[in-house]
Amino acid sequence: MRKPFVAGNWKMNTDSQSSVDLAGRVGSGSSGVAGQTVDVAVCPPFVYLQSVVRAVAVSSVAVGAQDIYFEAKGAFTGEISASMLKDIGCTYVLCGHSERRHVIGETDDLINKKVIAAISGGLLPILCVGELQSEREAGLTNEVVTRHVKNGLSDLGREKASAVTIAYEPVWAIGTGLTATPEQAQEVHAFIRGLLAEMYDADLAAETRILYGGSVKPGNAAELMAREDIDGLLVGGASLKADDFLAIVQAAA
Ligand code: PGA
């Protein structure tokens, strides 16, 4: 019912040559599964989006951006709109990644505007949510995730909300080598699905894909994917190595 989805977040890595090489290897290495038993996307830095779109054009790998700005056009120096991303062939966009929340300082309100702008511009947003280590230790995980999900989807009617993928990424597990256990992840994923049922309805909750992210590797992908409410994986570090990323794609397929 929910097709698995694996997305690679390259963050601020690669260069013009390595981005095209990596994209090409992901495209050829995932043929036979990408777009069939698993949806696959790569999210390179803005400047390499167009060449990566070309590099995966012969495959079923989709391309996503790591961020957008919510205005359609105008005097917003340095920003990129949904229509620009759509124009060059992007399908997805990450909204509210924890590095943007905690390093750049994005607020729930800004992230909500980005989610709305992405959908209006024809992109599929991946709304990232998740607690800090201190918040988990203080027993605030559900509270933080509730705030991120409710505020991130604020003012989104059912139809638009159905375009959203959620990515649960506990901040303490991102880039640290500390993966949430499959039990910890499943617990939060089930909680988020319950939240969606409360906010919308059971059908929307059952159809929405909820990805896990945070130190996903070839060695832990299968056990995470085996959990009922884990529908896919958002992969950072391991998405920069074609062999590792493809092994994760295979584990999800
Ligand atoms: P990681 O990053 O896999 O390197 O932990 C995940 C992410 O930030 O999306």
Side-chain angles (χ1 to χ4, degrees), residues 9 11 97 99 169 173-175 214-216 234-237:
N9 173 12
K11 308 192 179 184
H97 186 275
E99 285 143 22
E169 299 203 299
I174 295 179
S215 297
V216 174
L234 180 54
V235 187

Side-chain angles (χ1 to χ4, degrees), residues 7-11 94 97-99 128 167 169-171 173-178 212-217 233-240:
N9 173 12
W10 296 359
K11 308 192 179 184
L94 302 179
H97 186 275
S98 72
E99 285 143 22
C128 304
E169 299 203 299
V171 182
I174 295 179
T176 57
L178 290 173
Y212 168 79
S215 297
V216 174
K217 299 180 272 288
L233 303 162
L234 180 54
V235 187
S239 72
L240 294 170

Side-chain angles (χ1 to χ4, degrees), residues 6 105 161 172 239:
V6 177
W172 48 273
S239 72

Side-chain angles (χ1 to χ4, degrees), residues 137-189:
E137 283 164 4
L140 298 173
T141 298
N142 288 356
E143 199 176 302
V144 172
V145 164
T146 300
R147 193 171 70 231
H148 288 171
V149 172
K150 285 203 168 162
N151 293 344
L153 300 181
S154 179
D155 294 329
L156 272 190
R158 191 192 188 285
E159 195 186 332
K160 288 189 173 172
S162 68
V164 179
T165 296
I166 309 267
Y168 169 58
E169 299 203 299
V171 182
W172 48 273
I174 295 179
T176 57
L178 290 173
T179 319
T181 64
E183 293 71 28
Q184 283 173 321
Q186 163 61 27
E187 199 179 316
V188 181
H189 281 231

